[in-house]
Amino acid sequence: MKYIILLCFLACVNARPETYNNKYDGVNLRDILSNRRLLVPYILCTLEQGQCTPEGKELRSHIKEALENDCGKCTEPQKKGTQLVITHLVQHEDEFWKQLVAKYDPSKNYVTKYEKQLKSIKSRA
């Protein structure tokens, strides 16, 4: 009986991780953002318009949920990386930003919700 309870507990713990996979937290986002040859394939992956690297697939699989829960399951490096990427897209990749918003937030619930954050990101850079 104790083993069954232990197995149930372990299954519950593993079923809903508290944070997203941190395997790619060490990826140098600044290098990617500064090189369109590297950046565009990631954007196309998230838009489901191109092939994805493993880290691109991981990113794409969490975008909607991260928007909905204010990146509640993101690790600290993921939160900082998200802010860095959004800053870059808003400032330098407006067309891709519009496409991403249209895909992941067509009713603009999250863009509106985070409007102050987006404005502060624009003004800081």
Coordinates of all heavy atoms in Angstrom, one line a residue, residues 84-124:
L84 N 14.1 40.2 -23.2 CA 15.1 40.6 -24.2 C 14.6 40.4 -25.6 O 14.7 41.3 -26.5 CB 16.4 39.8 -23.9 CG 17.5 40.0 -24.9 CD1 18.1 41.4 -24.7 CD2 18.6 39.0 -24.7
V85 N 13.9 39.2 -25.8 CA 13.4 38.9 -27.2 C 12.3 39.8 -27.5 O 12.3 40.4 -28.7 CB 13.0 37.4 -27.3 CG1 12.3 37.1 -28.5 CG2 14.2 36.5 -27.1
I86 N 11.4 40.1 -26.6 CA 10.2 40.9 -26.9 C 10.8 42.3 -27.2 O 10.3 43.0 -28.2 CB 9.2 41.0 -25.8 CG1 8.5 39.6 -25.7 CG2 8.2 42.1 -25.9 CD1 7.6 39.5 -24.5
T87 N 11.7 42.8 -26.4 CA 12.3 44.1 -26.7 C 12.8 44.2 -28.1 O 12.5 45.2 -28.9 CB 13.4 44.4 -25.7 OG1 12.9 44.4 -24.4 CG2 14.1 45.8 -25.9
H88 N 13.6 43.2 -28.5 CA 14.2 43.2 -29.8 C 13.1 43.2 -30.9 O 13.2 43.9 -31.9 CB 15.1 42.0 -30.0 CG 15.8 42.0 -31.3 ND1 16.9 42.7 -31.6 CD2 15.5 41.3 -32.4 CE1 17.3 42.5 -32.9 NE2 16.4 41.7 -33.4
L89 N 12.2 42.3 -30.8 CA 11.1 42.2 -31.8 C 10.3 43.4 -31.9 O 10.0 43.9 -33.1 CB 10.2 41.0 -31.5 CG 10.9 39.6 -31.5 CD1 9.9 38.5 -31.1 CD2 11.4 39.3 -32.9
V90 N 9.9 44.0 -30.8 CA 9.1 45.3 -30.9 C 9.9 46.4 -31.6 O 9.4 47.1 -32.4 CB 8.7 45.7 -29.5 CG1 8.1 47.1 -29.4 CG2 7.6 44.7 -28.9
Q91 N 11.2 46.5 -31.2 CA 12.0 47.6 -31.8 C 12.6 47.3 -33.2 O 12.7 48.3 -33.9 CB 13.2 47.8 -30.9 CG 12.8 48.4 -29.5 CD 14.0 48.6 -28.7 OE1 15.2 48.2 -28.9 NE2 13.8 49.4 -27.6
H92 N 12.9 46.1 -33.5 CA 13.6 45.8 -34.8 C 12.9 44.9 -35.8 O 13.3 44.8 -36.9 CB 15.0 45.2 -34.4 CG 15.8 46.1 -33.6 ND1 16.3 47.3 -33.9 CD2 16.2 45.9 -32.3 CE1 17.0 47.8 -32.9 NE2 16.9 47.0 -31.9
E93 N 11.9 44.2 -35.3 CA 11.3 43.2 -36.2 C 9.7 43.4 -36.1 O 9.0 42.4 -35.8 CB 11.6 41.8 -35.8 CG 13.1 41.5 -35.8 CD 13.7 41.4 -37.2 OE1 12.9 41.4 -38.2 OE2 14.9 41.5 -37.4
D94 N 9.3 44.6 -36.4 CA 7.9 44.9 -36.3 C 6.9 44.0 -37.1 O 5.9 43.6 -36.5 CB 7.6 46.4 -36.7 CG 6.3 46.9 -36.3 OD1 5.9 46.7 -35.1 OD2 5.6 47.3 -37.2
E95 N 7.3 43.6 -38.3 CA 6.4 42.8 -39.1 C 6.3 41.4 -38.5 O 5.2 40.8 -38.4 CB 6.9 42.7 -40.5 CG 6.6 43.9 -41.3 CD 5.1 44.3 -41.3 OE1 4.2 43.4 -41.5 OE2 4.8 45.4 -41.0
F96 N 7.4 40.8 -38.0 CA 7.4 39.5 -37.3 C 6.6 39.6 -36.0 O 5.9 38.7 -35.7 CB 8.8 39.0 -37.1 CG 9.4 38.4 -38.3 CD1 10.7 38.7 -38.6 CD2 8.7 37.4 -39.1 CE1 11.3 38.1 -39.7 CE2 9.3 36.8 -40.2 CZ 10.6 37.2 -40.5
W97 N 6.8 40.7 -35.3 CA 6.1 40.9 -34.0 C 4.6 40.9 -34.3 O 3.8 40.3 -33.6 CB 6.5 42.2 -33.4 CG 5.7 42.6 -32.2 CD1 4.9 43.6 -32.0 CD2 5.7 41.8 -30.9 NE1 4.3 43.5 -30.7 CE2 4.8 42.5 -30.0 CE3 6.4 40.7 -30.5 CZ2 4.6 42.0 -28.8 CZ3 6.2 40.2 -29.2 CH2 5.3 40.9 -28.3
K98 N 4.2 41.6 -35.3 CA 2.7 41.7 -35.7 C 2.2 40.3 -36.0 O 1.1 39.9 -35.6 CB 2.5 42.6 -36.8 CG 2.6 44.1 -36.5 CD 2.4 45.0 -37.7 CE 2.7 46.4 -37.3 NZ 2.7 47.3 -38.5
Q99 N 3.0 39.5 -36.7 CA 2.6 38.1 -37.1 C 2.5 37.2 -35.8 O 1.6 36.4 -35.7 CB 3.6 37.5 -38.1 CG 3.5 38.1 -39.5 CD 4.6 37.5 -40.4 OE1 4.7 36.3 -40.4 NE2 5.3 38.3 -41.0
L100 N 3.4 37.4 -34.9 CA 3.4 36.6 -33.7 C 2.2 37.0 -32.8 O 1.5 36.1 -32.3 CB 4.7 36.8 -32.9 CG 5.9 36.2 -33.5 CD1 7.2 36.7 -32.9 CD2 5.9 34.6 -33.3
V101 N 1.9 38.3 -32.7 CA 0.7 38.7 -32.0 C -0.5 38.2 -32.7 O -1.4 37.7 -32.0 CB 0.7 40.3 -31.9 CG1 -0.7 40.7 -31.4 CG2 1.8 40.8 -31.0
A102 N -0.6 38.2 -34.0 CA -1.8 37.7 -34.7 C -2.0 36.2 -34.4 O -3.1 35.7 -34.3 CB -1.7 38.0 -36.2
K103 N -0.9 35.5 -34.3 CA -1.0 34.0 -34.1 C -1.3 33.7 -32.7 O -2.1 32.8 -32.4 CB 0.4 33.4 -34.6 CG 0.3 31.8 -34.3 CD 1.5 31.1 -35.0 CE 1.4 29.7 -34.8 NZ 0.2 29.0 -35.3
Y104 N -0.6 34.3 -31.8 CA -0.7 33.9 -30.4 C -1.6 34.7 -29.5 O -2.0 34.3 -28.4 CB 0.7 33.8 -29.7 CG 1.5 32.7 -30.3 CD1 2.5 32.9 -31.3 CD2 1.3 31.4 -29.9 CE1 3.2 31.9 -31.8 CE2 2.0 30.3 -30.5 CZ 3.0 30.6 -31.4 OH 3.7 29.6 -32.0
D105 N -2.0 35.9 -30.0 CA -2.9 36.8 -29.3 C -3.8 37.5 -30.2 O -3.8 38.8 -30.2 CB -2.1 37.7 -28.4 CG -2.9 38.5 -27.4 OD1 -4.1 38.1 -27.2 OD2 -2.4 39.5 -26.9
P106 N -4.6 36.8 -31.1 CA -5.4 37.6 -32.1 C -6.4 38.5 -31.5 O -6.7 39.5 -32.1 CB -6.1 36.4 -32.8 CG -6.0 35.2 -32.0 CD -4.8 35.4 -31.1
S107 N -6.9 38.3 -30.3 CA -7.8 39.2 -29.7 C -7.1 40.3 -28.9 O -7.8 41.1 -28.3 CB -8.8 38.4 -28.8 OG -8.1 37.7 -27.8
K108 N -5.8 40.2 -28.8 CA -4.9 41.2 -28.2 C -5.2 41.3 -26.7 O -4.9 42.3 -26.0 CB -5.1 42.5 -28.8 CG -4.6 42.5 -30.3 CD -4.4 43.9 -30.8 CE -4.0 44.1 -32.2 NZ -3.4 43.2 -33.0
N109 N -5.6 40.2 -26.1 CA -5.8 40.1 -24.6 C -4.5 40.3 -23.9 O -4.5 41.1 -22.9 CB -6.4 38.8 -24.2 CG -7.8 38.6 -24.7 OD1 -8.6 39.6 -24.8 ND2 -8.2 37.4 -24.9
Y110 N -3.5 39.7 -24.3 CA -2.2 39.7 -23.6 C -1.4 40.9 -24.0 O -0.8 41.5 -23.1 CB -1.4 38.4 -23.9 CG -2.2 37.2 -23.5 CD1 -2.7 36.4 -24.5 CD2 -2.6 36.9 -22.2 CE1 -3.5 35.3 -24.3 CE2 -3.4 35.9 -21.9 CZ -3.9 35.0 -22.9 OH -4.7 34.0 -22.7
V111 N -1.4 41.4 -25.2 CA -0.8 42.6 -25.6 C -1.3 43.7 -24.8 O -0.6 44.6 -24.3 CB -0.8 42.8 -27.1 CG1 -0.3 44.2 -27.5 CG2 -0.1 41.8 -27.9
T112 N -2.7 43.8 -24.7 CA -3.3 44.8 -23.9 C -2.9 44.7 -22.4 O -2.6 45.6 -21.7 CB -4.8 44.7 -24.0 OG1 -5.2 44.9 -25.4 CG2 -5.5 45.8 -23.2
K113 N -3.0 43.4 -21.9 CA -2.6 43.2 -20.5 C -1.2 43.6 -20.2 O -1.0 44.2 -19.1 CB -2.8 41.7 -20.2 CG -2.5 41.3 -18.8 CD -2.8 39.8 -18.6 CE -2.4 39.3 -17.2 NZ -2.5 37.9 -17.1
Y114 N -0.3 43.4 -21.1 CA 1.1 43.7 -20.8 C 1.5 45.0 -21.5 O 2.7 45.2 -21.7 CB 2.0 42.5 -21.3 CG 1.6 41.2 -20.6 CD1 1.2 40.2 -21.3 CD2 1.6 41.1 -19.2 CE1 0.9 39.0 -20.7 CE2 1.3 40.0 -18.6 CZ 0.9 38.9 -19.3 OH 0.6 37.7 -18.7
E115 N 0.6 45.8 -21.9 CA 0.9 47.0 -22.6 C 1.9 47.9 -21.9 O 2.8 48.4 -22.5 CB -0.4 47.8 -22.9 CG -0.1 49.0 -23.9 CD -1.4 49.6 -24.3 OE1 -2.4 49.7 -23.4 OE2 -1.5 50.1 -25.4
K116 N 1.7 48.1 -20.6 CA 2.7 48.9 -19.8 C 4.1 48.3 -19.9 O 5.0 49.0 -20.0 CB 2.2 49.0 -18.4 CG 1.0 50.0 -18.2 CD 0.7 50.1 -16.7 CE -0.5 51.0 -16.5 NZ -0.8 51.1 -15.1
Q117 N 4.1 47.0 -19.7 CA 5.4 46.3 -19.8 C 6.1 46.5 -21.2 O 7.2 46.8 -21.3 CB 5.3 44.9 -19.5 CG 6.6 44.1 -19.5 CD 6.3 42.6 -19.2 OE1 5.3 42.2 -18.9 NE2 7.4 41.8 -19.4
L118 N 5.3 46.4 -22.2 CA 5.8 46.6 -23.6 C 6.3 48.0 -23.8 O 7.3 48.2 -24.4 CB 4.8 46.2 -24.6 CG 4.4 44.7 -24.7 CD1 3.3 44.5 -25.7 CD2 5.6 43.9 -25.2
K119 N 5.5 49.0 -23.3 CA 5.9 50.4 -23.4 C 7.2 50.6 -22.7 O 8.1 51.3 -23.2 CB 4.8 51.3 -23.0 CG 3.7 51.4 -23.9 CD 2.6 52.3 -23.5 CE 1.5 52.4 -24.5 NZ 0.4 53.3 -24.0
S120 N 7.4 50.1 -21.5 CA 8.6 50.3 -20.7 C 9.8 49.6 -21.4 O 10.9 50.1 -21.4 CB 8.5 49.8 -19.3 OG 8.4 48.4 -19.2
I121 N 9.5 48.5 -22.1 CA 10.6 47.8 -22.8 C 11.0 48.7 -24.0 O 12.2 48.8 -24.2 CB 10.1 46.4 -23.3 CG1 10.0 45.4 -22.1 CG2 11.1 45.8 -24.3 CD1 9.3 44.1 -22.5
K122 N 10.1 49.2 -24.7 CA 10.4 50.1 -25.8 C 11.2 51.3 -25.3 O 12.2 51.7 -26.0 CB 9.1 50.6 -26.5 CG 8.5 49.7 -27.4 CD 7.3 50.3 -28.1 CE 6.6 49.4 -29.0 NZ 5.5 50.1 -29.7
S123 N 10.9 51.9 -24.2 CA 11.5 53.1 -23.8 C 12.9 52.8 -23.2 O 13.8 53.7 -23.1 CB 10.7 53.9 -22.8 OG 10.5 53.1 -21.6
R124 N 13.2 51.6 -22.7 CA 14.5 51.3 -22.0 C 15.6 51.1 -23.0 O 16.7 51.2 -22.7 CB 14.3 50.1 -21.1 CG 13.8 50.4 -19.8 CD 13.9 49.2 -18.9 NE 12.7 48.5 -19.1 CZ 12.6 47.2 -18.8 NH1 13.6 46.5 -18.4 NH2 11.4 46.6 -19.0

